[in-house]
């Protein structure tokens, strides 16, 4: 082990010994070939022993240990080791296929770039086309657009393109930052940019964390500054853009890779522009390769139905993956699933003509059909999620009234069937559906939407009968953000009304999400709310928006007492103030 790495290990040894659980780390190190099973036996669960052993090993072991820390989400500890990572000589370099070195893994995981899907086939030609365009951003800022239809593998390709040591080192030494966008409104966009700014500022270790920018213009300026001064030569990846307002907000003269279904989005922004089209889906042989990987068969060993299945899937990697996951469990059902794909029982007319959804519908229906009855109903519950929203298991543990562990097991089953995706860069893990899957669910359950949303609201009320959650964790954020949405969709107008016209709720939501989301609720649900009372709340928020962005958070009752005396906001504040006074 080289000197720097060795001394680093010695320096941080105590912390490592206290914090790590060796068994998981050792699994990774064994699969990297730097630790033997015998050694593992000896160490069993003792961190002290593992450290001893590491100190006697070579640079590879240090790197492998570092990677294991990252994989097991000990990011803080990994950071302590980062600066002393041994220099990777070209020979070591070669041992990482595709130039995906520990350095690349760290950069990508820090930037939130998704990992490869479990079953993954390479698409070298497309990946190289994207990389070649990215190299054009080496000397100057600009935009690279990857466009194509839904489910054609754009996000996977974008993530794959940056998984390359040379590219990052030469073009984006400032890092790669991933942002999932999807269909969103202005407050959501603001929230995304806010959290990106927060992420970027946090990793600078800057002492003076600034308050979050509270308008899109301000957010744009903040990000411009950060990208120009603190993260020059870094790449922003914007996944799944629908609308050019997003691009305008990010038109800050930096380097951007974006995926979209709409080719002409960058027309409205300035700078150099390049594009890569993901024309059709996978070529036939790539589709076959996915099926072979799922069923652990050799390509030549696939049955004759395989080719027809791939054809029926129209090369959509999403659909092929669904069928592959089914065949993994039932390897003798090739003919059966082919027939299911060919039946058009789910045929419907859709607005979008750009994609053959039939295949997806058949595949989704087949995957759902093999779920155990009780899980099928749970999967149906996911119909109520908003597009592109990722949720932690805890939200579902409220909805399903189950222990989080039990929920995680069920979600794992969905993930294994390609019915759900997991973002494991985040701790806790976040789960989400592909757009097309959500389309399918909404279509299939269109007569039950109201009752499904009602269930969400009732379960929430049951679980939080003593008050709204305020912890600020991912679960709390979900409820505070989406409770109003579920109430509105459930047609629970009275309850929505009571919630939104309560100073307590305003207090909590403003504190947790900032005033922009609140104001947006009043606008969005305006038509079902009382006009006059609504205006009281809206005026209160717009007048005090700036204050409500401050931390420490101001006393909302005090602010509300300055409202005109005929305002409902004032009335509620007065009641609270009097209650407070009488309690002494
Ligand atoms: P898009 O961004 O175009 O909507 P995604 O990149 O999200 O599509 O891909 C949809 C799904 O298709 C993925 O979640 C994965 O299951 C599957 N998929 C895409 N690309 C590949 C690939 N190269 N190898 C294996 N599966 C893939």
């Amino acid at each position: 082990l080289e000197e720097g790495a060795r001394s680093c290990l010695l320096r941080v040894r105590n912390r490592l010994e206290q914090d790590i659980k060796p068994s998981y780390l050792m699994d990774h190190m064994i699969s990297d070939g730097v630790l033997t099973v015998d050694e593992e036996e000896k160490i069993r669960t003792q961190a002290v022993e593992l450290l001893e052993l590491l100190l006697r090993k070579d640079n590879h072991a240090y790197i492998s240990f570092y990677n294991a820390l990252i994989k097991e989400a000990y990011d803080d500890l990994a950071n302590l080791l980062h600066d002393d990572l041994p220099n990777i000589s070209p020979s070591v370099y070669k041992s990482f296929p595709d130039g995906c070195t520990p350095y690349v893994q760290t950069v990508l995981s820090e930037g939130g770039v998704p990992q490869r899907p479990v079953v993954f086939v390479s698409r070298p030609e497309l990946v190289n086309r994207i990389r070649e365009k990215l190299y054009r951003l080496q000397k100057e800022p600009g935009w690279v657009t990857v466009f194509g239809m839904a489910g054609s593998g754009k996000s996977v390709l974008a993530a794959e393109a940056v998984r390359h040591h040379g590219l990052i080192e030469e073009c984006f030494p400032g890092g790669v930052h991933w942002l999932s966008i999807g269909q969103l409104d202005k407050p959501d966009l603001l929230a995304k940019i806010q959290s990106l700014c927060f992420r970027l500022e946090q990793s600078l270790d800057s002492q003076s964390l600034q308050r979050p920018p509270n308008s899109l213009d301000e957010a744009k300026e903040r990000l411009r500054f950060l990208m120009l001064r603190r993260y020059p030569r870094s790449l922003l990846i914007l996944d799944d853009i629908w609308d050019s307002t997003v691009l305008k907000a990010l038109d800050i003269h930096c380097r951007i890779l974006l995926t979209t279904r709409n080719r002409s989005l960058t027309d409205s922004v300035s700078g150099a522009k390049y594009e890569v089209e993901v024309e059709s889906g996978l070529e036939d042989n790539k589709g076959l390769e996915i099926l072979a990987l799922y069923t652990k068969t050799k390509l030549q060993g696939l049955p004759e139905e395989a080719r027809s299945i791939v054809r029926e899937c129209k090369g959509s990697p999403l659909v092929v993956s669904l069928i592959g996951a089914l065949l993994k469990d039932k390897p003798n059902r090739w003919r059966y699933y082919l027939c299911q794909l060919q039946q058009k029982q789910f045929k419907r007319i859709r607005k979008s003509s750009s994609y053959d959804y039939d295949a997806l519908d058949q595949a989704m229906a087949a995957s759902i059909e093999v779920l155990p009855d009780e899980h099928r109903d749970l999967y149906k519950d996911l119909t109520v999620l908003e597009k592109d929203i990722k949720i932690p298991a805890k939200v579902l543990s409220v909805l399903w009234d189950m222990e989080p562990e039990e929920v995680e097991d069920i979600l794992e089953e969905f993930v294994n069937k390609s019915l759900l995706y997991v973002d494991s860069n985040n701790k806790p893990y976040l789960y989400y559906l592909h757009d097309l899957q959500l389309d399918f669910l909404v279509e299939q359950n269109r007569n039950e939407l109201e009752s499904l949303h009602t269930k969400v609201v009732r379960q929430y009320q049951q679980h939080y009968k003593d008050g709204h959650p305020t912890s600020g964790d991912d679960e709390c954020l979900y409820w505070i953000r989406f409770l109003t949405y579920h109430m509105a969709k459930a047609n629970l107008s009275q309850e929505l009304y009571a919630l939104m016209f309560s100073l307590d709720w305003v207090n909590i939501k403003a504190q947790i999400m900032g005033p922009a989301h609140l104001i947006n609720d009043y606008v969005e649900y305006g038509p079902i709310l009382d006009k006059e009372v609504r205006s009281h709340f809206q005026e209160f928020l717009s007048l005090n928006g700036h204050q409500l962005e401050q931390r420490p958070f101001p006393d909302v009752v005090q602010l509300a007492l300055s409202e005109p005396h005929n305002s409902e906001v004032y009335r509620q504040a007065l009641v609270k103030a009097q209650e407070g006074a009488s309690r002494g």
Side-chain angles (χ1 to χ4, degrees):
L1 190 61
E2 71 179 40
E3 196 183 10
R6 201 182 149 71
S7 95
C8 175
L9 274 183
L10 288 168
R11 240 182 3 253
V12 298
R13 181 175 186 168
N14 279 342
R15 265 208 64 192
L16 289 169
E17 287 173 357
Q18 275 165 24
D19 293 354
I20 59 172
K21 290 220 172 48
S23 42
Y24 295 114
L25 298 172
M26 289 193 298
D27 286 346
H28 296 295
M29 296 174 70
I30 289 175
S31 69
D32 283 352
V34 300
L35 205 68
T36 66
V37 178
D38 282 349
E39 287 169 330
E40 184 196 38
E41 290 274 284
K42 284 205 203 88
I43 294 172
R44 273 174 302 163
T45 57
Q46 295 164 24
V48 183
E49 303 258 319
L50 177 60
L51 266 288
E52 267 305 316
L53 188 69
L54 257 183
L55 284 163
R56 295 200 298 272
K57 297 225 164 217
D58 63 1
N59 290 345
H60 292 274
Y62 184 94
I63 295 174
S64 164
F65 178 62
Y66 171 82
N67 284 333
L69 288 173
I70 299 259
K71 285 183 196 136
E72 291 300 324
Y74 292 109
D75 292 347
D76 296 350
L77 297 177
N79 281 340
L80 297 175
L81 302 188
H82 179 262
D83 288 345
D84 293 292
L85 275 174
N87 249 338
I88 298 173
S89 68
S91 65
V92 178
Y93 205 88
K94 285 209 192 74
S95 69
F96 297 100
D98 308 345
C100 184
T101 58
Y103 164 73
V104 172
Q105 289 172 26
T106 316
V107 170
L108 299 190
S109 132
E110 278 174 358
V113 177
Q115 283 127 348
R116 282 180 182 166
V118 189
V119 165
F120 167 81
V121 296
S122 63
R123 302 169 80 179
E125 204 210 328
L126 279 165
V127 168
N128 285 335
R129 281 226 288 274
I130 301 174
R131 282 188 186 147
E132 183 210 325
K133 305 292 186 217
L134 288 173
Y135 267 105
R136 314 251 184 113
L137 303 183
Q138 183 175 20
K139 293 271 176 334
E140 55 160 5
W143 309 79
V144 175
T145 302
V146 175
F147 69 96
M149 50 196 193
S152 58
K154 299 181 294 295
S155 314
V156 173
L157 284 166
E160 199 52 26
V162 291
R163 207 165 278 135
H164 188 274
H165 191 97
L167 178 70
I168 293 185
E169 206 169 50
E170 287 163 50
C171 301
F172 312 115
V176 178
H177 309 283
W178 183 280
L179 225 54
S180 315
I181 304 283
Q183 279 170 295
L184 39 65
D185 46 26
K186 285 203 169 133
D188 292 333
L189 176 60
L190 175 60
K192 294 249 177 204
I193 306 181
Q194 280 173 339
S195 70
L196 177 64
C197 290
F198 183 74
R199 213 160 86 192
L200 295 173
E201 282 165 356
Q202 207 179 26
S203 28
L204 290 171
D205 269 345
S206 57
Q207 297 293 317
S208 57
L209 277 181
Q210 306 183 28
R211 67 169 177 79
N214 59 22
S215 69
L216 264 183
D217 283 338
E218 202 184 318
K220 182 172 175 180
E221 282 320 305
R222 178 83 61 87
L223 193 61
R224 186 203 305 276
F225 173 85
L226 275 167
M227 297 306 274
L228 197 69
R229 296 289 170 76
R230 317 303 291 271
Y231 291 88
R233 305 190 64 210
S234 58
L235 179 70
L236 274 185
I237 304 184
L238 309 176
D239 187 33
D240 199 18
I241 306 274
W242 287 70
D243 188 339
S244 60
T245 44
V246 177
L247 297 190
K248 285 184 198 136
L250 293 165
D251 191 2
I252 50 173
H253 214 62
C254 63
R255 294 163 167 81
I256 290 186
L257 169 63
L258 62 112
T259 74
T260 178
R261 302 170 198 187
N262 179 352
R263 173 178 207 159
S264 51
L265 278 181
T266 52
D267 287 355
S268 54
V269 294
S270 55
K273 294 166 200 169
Y274 311 94
E275 56 178 39
V276 176
E277 178 173 9
V278 184
E279 299 102 2
S280 48
L282 299 165
E283 304 85 64
D284 282 0
N285 56 345
K286 288 290 169 188
L288 290 174
E289 202 178 319
I290 293 188
L291 293 180
L293 284 168
Y294 268 111
T295 53
K296 301 205 163 59
T297 325
K298 292 225 164 58
L299 266 181
Q300 300 83 341
L302 288 171
E304 55 177 302
E305 288 91 353
R307 196 166 286 277
S308 313
I309 288 183
V310 171
R311 290 266 158 77
E312 288 294 333
C313 295
K314 302 279 195 295
S316 159
L318 178 67
V319 182
V320 182
S321 299
L322 280 164
I323 300 292
L326 284 169
L327 287 163
K328 181 177 67 182
D329 289 340
K330 299 276 191 279
N332 44 24
R333 291 206 177 164
W334 292 87
R335 170 139 298 275
Y336 175 71
Y337 289 130
L338 175 58
C339 291
Q340 285 216 318
L341 279 173
Q342 284 165 340
Q343 284 168 13
K344 305 286 187 218
Q345 76 208 29
F346 275 94
K347 198 175 174 78
R348 280 184 298 272
I349 297 157
R350 299 236 190 192
K351 288 208 189 84
S352 166
S353 55
S354 62
Y355 182 75
D356 177 17
Y357 287 100
D358 276 354
L360 178 95
D361 290 348
Q362 301 305 329
M364 283 290 289
S367 299
I368 291 174
E369 196 173 300
V370 299
L371 292 174
D373 289 346
E374 63 278 16
H375 292 182
R376 204 174 305 145
D377 280 341
L378 299 179
Y379 190 70
K380 187 201 262 184
D381 284 336
L382 303 181
T383 310
V384 300
L385 297 180
E386 275 241 72
K387 276 200 176 162
D388 308 303
I389 298 300
K390 302 181 176 181
I391 56 165
K394 269 168 84 185
V395 168
L396 295 172
S397 93
V398 172
L399 177 59
W400 295 339
D401 196 16
M402 286 179 193
E403 294 301 317
E405 290 77 8
E406 210 180 331
V407 171
E408 273 170 7
D409 290 346
I410 296 172
L411 295 182
E412 195 180 305
E413 182 193 348
F414 294 164
V415 170
N416 285 337
K417 298 219 149 46
S418 297
L419 282 168
L420 186 71
Y421 296 96
V422 53
D423 174 355
S424 51
N425 278 323
N426 197 76
K427 297 286 137 78
Y429 287 178
L430 299 178
Y431 298 87
Y432 59 101
L433 293 160
H434 193 281
D435 278 16
L436 296 179
Q437 296 176 320
L438 206 50
D439 282 345
F440 173 85
L441 281 175
V442 170
E443 189 72 34
Q444 200 180 37
N445 304 314
R446 64 163 61 261
N447 298 327
E448 288 170 76
L449 292 180
E450 222 175 272
S451 64
L452 289 169
H453 282 282
T454 306
K455 174 174 176 193
V456 182
V457 176
R458 296 291 171 245
Q459 289 298 111
Y460 171 86
Q461 289 168 333
Q462 170 71 22
H463 192 88
Y464 287 107
K465 40 181 176 309
D466 299 329
H468 301 290
T470 52
S471 65
D473 66 8
D474 287 318
E475 187 220 343
C476 158
L477 284 175
Y478 180 84
W479 293 117
I480 301 301
R481 180 162 164 206
F482 289 108
L483 184 57
T484 43
Y485 157 79
H486 291 301
M487 283 183 172
K489 293 276 180 189
N491 235 336
L492 297 169
S493 317
Q494 287 304 319
E495 283 167 71
L496 181 67
Y497 191 104
L499 184 73
M500 291 184 59
F501 292 161
S502 124
L503 196 55
D504 281 332
W505 174 254
V506 169
N507 190 0
I508 292 173
K509 186 149 183 169
Q511 188 159 356
I512 289 176
M513 317 238 31
H517 271 283
L518 257 176
I519 296 177
N520 194 57
D521 279 354
Y522 290 103
V523 176
E524 174 106 33
Y525 308 121
I528 39 177
L529 297 172
D530 178 280
K531 209 162 151 198
E532 195 183 332
V533 185
R534 173 165 77 101
S535 71
H536 296 162
F537 278 86
Q538 264 176 298
E539 275 158 28
F540 172 67
L541 288 170
S542 40
L543 206 66
N544 294 288
H546 184 70
Q547 304 256 27
L548 295 173
E549 295 279 0
Q550 306 292 327
R551 296 294 177 277
F553 193 69
D555 183 336
V556 168
V557 174
Q558 282 306 319
L559 290 180
L561 286 172
S562 322
E563 287 299 284
H565 290 194
N566 64 354
S567 159
E568 171 64 17
V569 179
Y570 173 81
R571 199 193 59 77
Q572 290 189 22
L574 193 63
V575 173
K576 290 204 171 294
Q578 285 164 349
E579 275 170 14
S582 67
R583 256 185 273 119

